[in-house]
mmCIF file of all heavy atoms in Angstrom:
data_model
loop_
_atom_site.group_PDB
_atom_site.id
_atom_site.type_symbol
_atom_site.label_atom_id
_atom_site.label_comp_id
_atom_site.label_asym_id
_atom_site.label_seq_id
_atom_site.Cartn_x
_atom_site.Cartn_y
_atom_site.Cartn_z
ATOM 1 N N ALA A 87 -3.281 -28.968 -9.534
ATOM 2 C CA ALA A 87 -3.761 -29.122 -8.150
ATOM 3 C C ALA A 87 -3.321 -27.907 -7.304
ATOM 4 O O ALA A 87 -4.071 -27.410 -6.487
ATOM 5 C CB ALA A 87 -3.261 -30.391 -7.521
ATOM 6 N N ALA A 88 -2.091 -27.401 -7.560
ATOM 7 C CA ALA A 88 -1.697 -26.227 -6.825
ATOM 8 C C ALA A 88 -2.444 -24.979 -7.217
ATOM 9 O O ALA A 88 -2.848 -24.201 -6.360
ATOM 10 C CB ALA A 88 -0.133 -25.999 -7.064
ATOM 11 N N ASN A 89 -2.792 -24.884 -8.506
ATOM 12 C CA ASN A 89 -3.600 -23.752 -8.957
ATOM 13 C C ASN A 89 -5.000 -23.806 -8.324
ATOM 14 O O ASN A 89 -5.486 -22.752 -7.905
ATOM 15 C CB ASN A 89 -3.695 -23.754 -10.450
ATOM 16 C CG ASN A 89 -2.401 -23.389 -11.161
ATOM 17 O OD1 ASN A 89 -1.466 -22.948 -10.555
ATOM 18 N ND2 ASN A 89 -2.356 -23.611 -12.430
ATOM 19 N N ARG A 90 -5.609 -24.967 -8.257
ATOM 20 C CA ARG A 90 -6.909 -25.141 -7.690
ATOM 21 C C ARG A 90 -6.864 -24.798 -6.201
ATOM 22 O O ARG A 90 -7.770 -24.119 -5.700
ATOM 23 C CB ARG A 90 -7.387 -26.541 -7.918
ATOM 24 C CG ARG A 90 -8.859 -26.735 -7.640
ATOM 25 C CD ARG A 90 -9.321 -28.136 -7.997
ATOM 26 N NE ARG A 90 -9.091 -28.469 -9.386
ATOM 27 C CZ ARG A 90 -8.342 -29.508 -9.776
ATOM 28 N NH1 ARG A 90 -7.809 -30.292 -8.943
ATOM 29 N NH2 ARG A 90 -8.158 -29.686 -11.056
ATOM 30 N N ARG A 91 -5.789 -25.228 -5.521
ATOM 31 C CA ARG A 91 -5.634 -24.940 -4.081
ATOM 32 C C ARG A 91 -5.505 -23.422 -3.849
ATOM 33 O O ARG A 91 -6.159 -22.910 -2.883
ATOM 34 C CB ARG A 91 -4.421 -25.646 -3.567
ATOM 35 C CG ARG A 91 -4.277 -25.679 -2.097
ATOM 36 C CD ARG A 91 -3.072 -26.462 -1.643
ATOM 37 N NE ARG A 91 -3.006 -27.796 -2.248
ATOM 38 C CZ ARG A 91 -1.966 -28.235 -2.987
ATOM 39 N NH1 ARG A 91 -0.910 -27.487 -3.170
ATOM 40 N NH2 ARG A 91 -1.959 -29.408 -3.537
ATOM 41 N N VAL A 92 -4.811 -22.742 -4.655
ATOM 42 C CA VAL A 92 -4.665 -21.294 -4.522
ATOM 43 C C VAL A 92 -6.029 -20.600 -4.734
ATOM 44 O O VAL A 92 -6.397 -19.710 -3.946
ATOM 45 C CB VAL A 92 -3.605 -20.745 -5.463
ATOM 46 C CG1 VAL A 92 -3.672 -19.248 -5.590
ATOM 47 C CG2 VAL A 92 -2.255 -21.149 -5.111
ATOM 48 N N LEU A 93 -6.800 -21.041 -5.734
ATOM 49 C CA LEU A 93 -8.073 -20.442 -5.921
ATOM 50 C C LEU A 93 -9.010 -20.715 -4.798
ATOM 51 O O LEU A 93 -9.861 -19.845 -4.422
ATOM 52 C CB LEU A 93 -8.673 -20.982 -7.264
ATOM 53 C CG LEU A 93 -7.923 -20.501 -8.529
ATOM 54 C CD1 LEU A 93 -8.554 -21.201 -9.769
ATOM 55 C CD2 LEU A 93 -7.993 -19.016 -8.605
ATOM 56 N N VAL A 94 -9.023 -21.881 -4.236
ATOM 57 C CA VAL A 94 -9.885 -22.229 -3.023
ATOM 58 C C VAL A 94 -9.511 -21.419 -1.869
ATOM 59 O O VAL A 94 -10.364 -20.799 -1.195
ATOM 60 C CB VAL A 94 -9.777 -23.737 -2.740
ATOM 61 C CG1 VAL A 94 -10.410 -24.052 -1.359
ATOM 62 C CG2 VAL A 94 -10.468 -24.527 -3.800
ATOM 63 N N ILE A 95 -8.249 -21.176 -1.634
ATOM 64 C CA ILE A 95 -7.784 -20.320 -0.476
ATOM 65 C C ILE A 95 -8.241 -18.859 -0.688
ATOM 66 O O ILE A 95 -8.679 -18.227 0.220
ATOM 67 C CB ILE A 95 -6.233 -20.431 -0.317
ATOM 68 C CG1 ILE A 95 -5.855 -21.833 0.196
ATOM 69 C CG2 ILE A 95 -5.727 -19.382 0.586
ATOM 70 C CD1 ILE A 95 -4.408 -22.077 0.198
ATOM 71 N N ILE A 96 -8.128 -18.365 -1.940
ATOM 72 C CA ILE A 96 -8.549 -16.963 -2.203
ATOM 73 C C ILE A 96 -10.013 -16.883 -1.980
ATOM 74 O O ILE A 96 -10.529 -15.875 -1.402
ATOM 75 C CB ILE A 96 -8.150 -16.611 -3.658
ATOM 76 C CG1 ILE A 96 -6.584 -16.433 -3.692
ATOM 77 C CG2 ILE A 96 -8.850 -15.341 -4.086
ATOM 78 C CD1 ILE A 96 -6.044 -16.177 -5.075
ATOM 79 N N ALA A 97 -10.827 -17.861 -2.439
ATOM 80 C CA ALA A 97 -12.275 -17.786 -2.298
ATOM 81 C C ALA A 97 -12.685 -17.840 -0.821
ATOM 82 O O ALA A 97 -13.560 -17.087 -0.377
ATOM 83 C CB ALA A 97 -12.923 -18.952 -3.009
ATOM 84 N N VAL A 98 -11.985 -18.637 -0.015
ATOM 85 C CA VAL A 98 -12.307 -18.714 1.392
ATOM 86 C C VAL A 98 -11.955 -17.403 2.096
ATOM 87 O O VAL A 98 -12.728 -16.890 2.916
ATOM 88 C CB VAL A 98 -11.557 -19.899 2.093
ATOM 89 C CG1 VAL A 98 -11.611 -19.848 3.642
ATOM 90 C CG2 VAL A 98 -12.156 -21.199 1.599
ATOM 91 N N LEU A 99 -10.827 -16.847 1.729
ATOM 92 C CA LEU A 99 -10.442 -15.535 2.323
ATOM 93 C C LEU A 99 -11.413 -14.415 1.947
ATOM 94 O O LEU A 99 -11.795 -13.571 2.834
ATOM 95 C CB LEU A 99 -9.042 -15.158 1.911
ATOM 96 C CG LEU A 99 -7.966 -15.998 2.501
ATOM 97 C CD1 LEU A 99 -6.602 -15.609 1.949
ATOM 98 C CD2 LEU A 99 -7.920 -15.835 4.025
ATOM 99 N N ILE A 100 -11.923 -14.396 0.755
ATOM 100 C CA ILE A 100 -12.885 -13.408 0.311
ATOM 101 C C ILE A 100 -14.168 -13.604 1.066
ATOM 102 O O ILE A 100 -14.832 -12.735 1.517
ATOM 103 C CB ILE A 100 -13.094 -13.447 -1.211
ATOM 104 C CG1 ILE A 100 -11.907 -12.894 -1.889
ATOM 105 C CG2 ILE A 100 -14.354 -12.665 -1.620
ATOM 106 C CD1 ILE A 100 -11.921 -13.000 -3.407
ATOM 107 N N PHE A 101 -14.568 -14.873 1.184
ATOM 108 C CA PHE A 101 -15.812 -15.188 1.966
ATOM 109 C C PHE A 101 -15.721 -14.736 3.390
ATOM 110 O O PHE A 101 -16.641 -14.076 3.931
ATOM 111 C CB PHE A 101 -16.090 -16.684 1.873
ATOM 112 C CG PHE A 101 -17.319 -17.139 2.605
ATOM 113 C CD1 PHE A 101 -18.570 -16.867 2.085
ATOM 114 C CD2 PHE A 101 -17.263 -17.765 3.811
ATOM 115 C CE1 PHE A 101 -19.742 -17.288 2.730
ATOM 116 C CE2 PHE A 101 -18.424 -18.136 4.469
ATOM 117 C CZ PHE A 101 -19.630 -17.923 4.003
ATOM 118 N N LEU A 102 -14.581 -15.010 4.061
ATOM 119 C CA LEU A 102 -14.430 -14.529 5.432
ATOM 120 C C LEU A 102 -14.377 -13.038 5.549
ATOM 121 O O LEU A 102 -14.939 -12.492 6.489
ATOM 122 C CB LEU A 102 -13.114 -15.165 5.991
ATOM 123 C CG LEU A 102 -13.117 -16.643 6.278
ATOM 124 C CD1 LEU A 102 -11.796 -17.102 6.736
ATOM 125 C CD2 LEU A 102 -14.182 -16.934 7.367
ATOM 126 N N PHE A 103 -13.770 -12.349 4.566
ATOM 127 C CA PHE A 103 -13.724 -10.918 4.570
ATOM 128 C C PHE A 103 -15.199 -10.352 4.476
ATOM 129 O O PHE A 103 -15.535 -9.406 5.196
ATOM 130 C CB PHE A 103 -12.911 -10.395 3.414
ATOM 131 C CG PHE A 103 -12.927 -8.921 3.253
ATOM 132 C CD1 PHE A 103 -12.265 -8.103 4.119
ATOM 133 C CD2 PHE A 103 -13.622 -8.315 2.243
ATOM 134 C CE1 PHE A 103 -12.283 -6.741 4.016
ATOM 135 C CE2 PHE A 103 -13.722 -6.972 2.077
ATOM 136 C CZ PHE A 103 -12.992 -6.159 3.003
ATOM 137 N N LEU A 104 -15.917 -10.903 3.538
ATOM 138 C CA LEU A 104 -17.325 -10.452 3.386
ATOM 139 C C LEU A 104 -18.122 -10.745 4.669
ATOM 140 O O LEU A 104 -18.986 -9.923 5.070
ATOM 141 C CB LEU A 104 -17.988 -11.107 2.217
ATOM 142 C CG LEU A 104 -17.498 -10.602 0.830
ATOM 143 C CD1 LEU A 104 -18.106 -11.461 -0.273
ATOM 144 C CD2 LEU A 104 -17.720 -9.134 0.609
ATOM 145 N N LEU A 105 -17.908 -11.870 5.292
ATOM 146 C CA LEU A 105 -18.620 -12.195 6.531
ATOM 147 C C LEU A 105 -18.267 -11.260 7.649
ATOM 148 O O LEU A 105 -19.173 -10.797 8.389
ATOM 149 C CB LEU A 105 -18.253 -13.647 6.871
ATOM 150 C CG LEU A 105 -19.035 -14.315 8.023
ATOM 151 C CD1 LEU A 105 -20.470 -14.454 7.606
ATOM 152 C CD2 LEU A 105 -18.481 -15.611 8.424
ATOM 153 N N LEU A 106 -16.977 -10.938 7.789
ATOM 154 C CA LEU A 106 -16.579 -10.013 8.843
ATOM 155 C C LEU A 106 -17.012 -8.566 8.605
ATOM 156 O O LEU A 106 -17.271 -7.829 9.550
ATOM 157 C CB LEU A 106 -15.068 -10.000 8.987
ATOM 158 C CG LEU A 106 -14.468 -11.298 9.547
ATOM 159 C CD1 LEU A 106 -12.955 -11.240 9.484
ATOM 160 C CD2 LEU A 106 -14.906 -11.458 10.999
ATOM 161 N N MET A 107 -17.205 -8.200 7.315
ATOM 162 C CA MET A 107 -17.658 -6.834 7.018
ATOM 163 C C MET A 107 -19.120 -6.668 7.140
ATOM 164 O O MET A 107 -19.643 -5.545 7.018
ATOM 165 C CB MET A 107 -17.171 -6.434 5.591
ATOM 166 C CG MET A 107 -15.693 -6.369 5.444
ATOM 167 S SD MET A 107 -14.888 -5.228 6.606
ATOM 168 C CE MET A 107 -15.580 -3.659 6.038
ATOM 169 N N GLY A 108 -19.860 -7.734 7.372
ATOM 170 C CA GLY A 108 -21.284 -7.679 7.578
ATOM 171 C C GLY A 108 -22.023 -7.669 6.246
ATOM 172 O O GLY A 108 -23.200 -7.242 6.243
ATOM 173 N N PHE A 109 -21.475 -8.142 5.192
ATOM 174 C CA PHE A 109 -22.126 -8.208 3.918
ATOM 175 C C PHE A 109 -23.251 -9.269 3.989
ATOM 176 O O PHE A 109 -23.081 -10.281 4.608
ATOM 177 C CB PHE A 109 -21.156 -8.569 2.809
ATOM 178 C CG PHE A 109 -21.661 -8.508 1.396
ATOM 179 C CD1 PHE A 109 -21.944 -7.370 0.808
ATOM 180 C CD2 PHE A 109 -21.967 -9.769 0.764
ATOM 181 C CE1 PHE A 109 -22.448 -7.337 -0.451
ATOM 182 C CE2 PHE A 109 -22.425 -9.737 -0.520
ATOM 183 C CZ PHE A 109 -22.713 -8.521 -1.181
ATOM 184 N N ASP A 110 -24.375 -8.986 3.375
ATOM 185 C CA ASP A 110 -25.507 -9.838 3.446
ATOM 186 C C ASP A 110 -25.208 -11.068 2.453
ATOM 187 O O ASP A 110 -25.320 -10.938 1.201
ATOM 188 C CB ASP A 110 -26.800 -9.148 2.943
ATOM 189 C CG ASP A 110 -28.026 -10.048 3.109
ATOM 190 O OD1 ASP A 110 -27.989 -11.010 3.820
ATOM 191 O OD2 ASP A 110 -29.014 -9.682 2.479
ATOM 192 N N LEU A 111 -24.855 -12.182 3.014
ATOM 193 C CA LEU A 111 -24.446 -13.326 2.227
ATOM 194 C C LEU A 111 -25.636 -14.172 1.765
ATOM 195 O O LEU A 111 -25.522 -15.160 1.057
ATOM 196 C CB LEU A 111 -23.566 -14.284 3.046
ATOM 197 C CG LEU A 111 -22.210 -13.601 3.410
ATOM 198 C CD1 LEU A 111 -21.472 -14.519 4.397
ATOM 199 C CD2 LEU A 111 -21.397 -13.306 2.205
ATOM 200 N N SER A 112 -26.904 -13.736 2.056
ATOM 201 C CA SER A 112 -28.052 -14.482 1.657
ATOM 202 C C SER A 112 -28.307 -14.404 0.149
ATOM 203 O O SER A 112 -29.054 -15.203 -0.388
ATOM 204 C CB SER A 112 -29.274 -14.030 2.394
ATOM 205 O OG SER A 112 -29.564 -12.671 2.028
ATOM 206 N N ILE A 113 -27.661 -13.482 -0.529
ATOM 207 C CA ILE A 113 -27.854 -13.410 -1.971
ATOM 208 C C ILE A 113 -27.144 -14.587 -2.694
ATOM 209 O O ILE A 113 -27.465 -14.906 -3.832
ATOM 210 C CB ILE A 113 -27.322 -12.062 -2.560
ATOM 211 C CG1 ILE A 113 -25.844 -11.904 -2.349
ATOM 212 C CG2 ILE A 113 -28.094 -10.876 -1.973
ATOM 213 C CD1 ILE A 113 -25.251 -10.673 -3.048
ATOM 214 N N PHE A 114 -26.177 -15.210 -2.035
ATOM 215 C CA PHE A 114 -25.502 -16.343 -2.622
ATOM 216 C C PHE A 114 -26.215 -17.656 -2.433
ATOM 217 O O PHE A 114 -25.927 -18.624 -3.102
ATOM 218 C CB PHE A 114 -24.032 -16.474 -2.060
ATOM 219 C CG PHE A 114 -23.210 -15.307 -2.341
ATOM 220 C CD1 PHE A 114 -22.675 -14.533 -1.284
ATOM 221 C CD2 PHE A 114 -22.901 -14.930 -3.641
ATOM 222 C CE1 PHE A 114 -21.818 -13.493 -1.633
ATOM 223 C CE2 PHE A 114 -22.066 -13.858 -3.959
ATOM 224 C CZ PHE A 114 -21.566 -13.161 -2.922
#
Side-chain angles (χ1 to χ4, degrees):
N89 289 348
R90 193 174 304 121
R91 192 176 310 123
V92 169
L93 291 176
V94 167
I95 290 171
I96 290 172
V98 167
L99 289 175
I100 289 174
F101 180 75
L102 288 175
F103 174 74
L104 290 175
L105 189 67
L106 289 174
M107 295 304 295
F109 185 74
D110 186 18
L111 297 174
S112 65
I113 64 171
F114 297 118

